[in-house]
Amino acid sequence: MDAVRVALLREVLAGTEWLGATRRFAGTLRGSVVAHGGGLLLVGTPEYEPWHLAAHLVDEAAWSGTPELAPTLVRHGARPSDPAHLAVGLGRIEAARRGETLLVVSPQGPGDTLLERVHDARRAGATVLALGAAEGDLTTMAHDALAVGAESELDLDTVQHLVSAAAGENPLPSPRGRRRLRDRLSRLADRLTAPPPPRW
């Protein structure tokens, strides 16, 4: 789905909850990977691998100048003989650490094996995001989740298009009067460590 189709889809969805929900979730995703300098792992289930979302995030990373959005696709059936970008297996989730983000895309919820690995990654400090199943252990475990249930007006593929497009959008500048705490602390540290002015 190209940018024109996404724009048309957004027009059709104006006034529904989906635009706000997908933008909020995309903001969480973008904020997590940019804040930590990257390390986005993307995994599905054995029956549903999110190839399409991986490709769109790679495109959005390039178009938006946000390389942190480019994911590593983690595959259940990865083989060492596969091309490098397709040869990353579930062991990569076990190696996930603080500062990395794990996005799990699962139409019906992950099986116990994947769920255990996701739980271990979260305990190791990774940020866990879930897209898909409306309920279950994964949504409880995730730091943020966007539910796309069987009764939803949109299917999971369409929601992935909206999320990836929103993740690649440049965020709005923060209001001028409200500076982030980090900026204020940085300015205070500069003032405290600056040499005293000369006395002539």
Side-chain angles (χ1 to χ4, degrees):
M1 188 178 293
D2 59 26
V4 173
R5 289 187 181 143
V6 170
L8 290 173
L9 179 58
R10 285 176 171 169
E11 280 186 37
V12 171
L13 294 173
T16 70
E17 65 185 31
W18 285 107
L19 289 184
T22 53
R23 281 193 166 124
R24 178 200 56 75
F25 186 79
T28 302
L29 170 62
R30 181 179 175 125
S32 176
V33 297
V34 169
H36 295 107
L40 174 58
L41 305 175
L42 176 61
V43 67
T45 65
E47 302 79 25
Y48 186 90
E49 288 191 327
W51 303 85
H52 215 62
L53 179 58
H56 280 293
L57 285 171
V58 167
D59 289 344
E60 292 295 340
W63 294 334
S64 67
T66 313
E68 298 90 349
L69 281 175
T72 297
L73 180 62
V74 178
R75 300 181 58 225
H76 291 260
R79 297 176 305 240
S81 60
D82 290 335
H85 68 288
L86 299 177
V88 179
L90 293 179
R92 179 62 182 87
I93 296 175
E94 292 174 6
R97 295 291 174 255
R98 182 174 304 282
E100 293 185 298
T101 301
L102 176 59
L103 173 55
V104 183
V105 181
S106 170
Q108 277 88 34
D112 291 340
T113 302
L114 178 57
L115 203 57
E116 276 181 41
R117 292 172 192 249
V118 172
H119 183 260
D120 290 344
R122 180 180 165 120
R123 282 185 28 214
T127 299
V128 175
L129 305 177
L131 179 59
E135 54 191 39
D137 292 336
L138 178 60
T139 55
T140 305
M141 185 187 310
H143 292 91
D144 195 2
L146 180 57
V148 187
E151 72 289 344
S152 298
E153 303 90 349
L154 300 180
D155 63 15
L156 184 56
D157 288 339
T158 302
V159 171
Q160 289 177 71
H161 283 294
L162 292 169
V163 167
S164 62
E169 292 175 338
N170 290 323
L172 295 172
S174 58
R176 293 190 72 159
R178 299 190 58 183
R179 295 191 176 103
R180 295 184 320 171
L181 176 62
R182 186 183 301 172
D183 296 337
R184 293 194 310 245
L185 289 173
S186 176
R187 279 195 312 281
L188 177 61
D190 288 344
R191 285 176 43 202
L192 291 174
T193 59
R199 292 196 280 176
W200 306 105

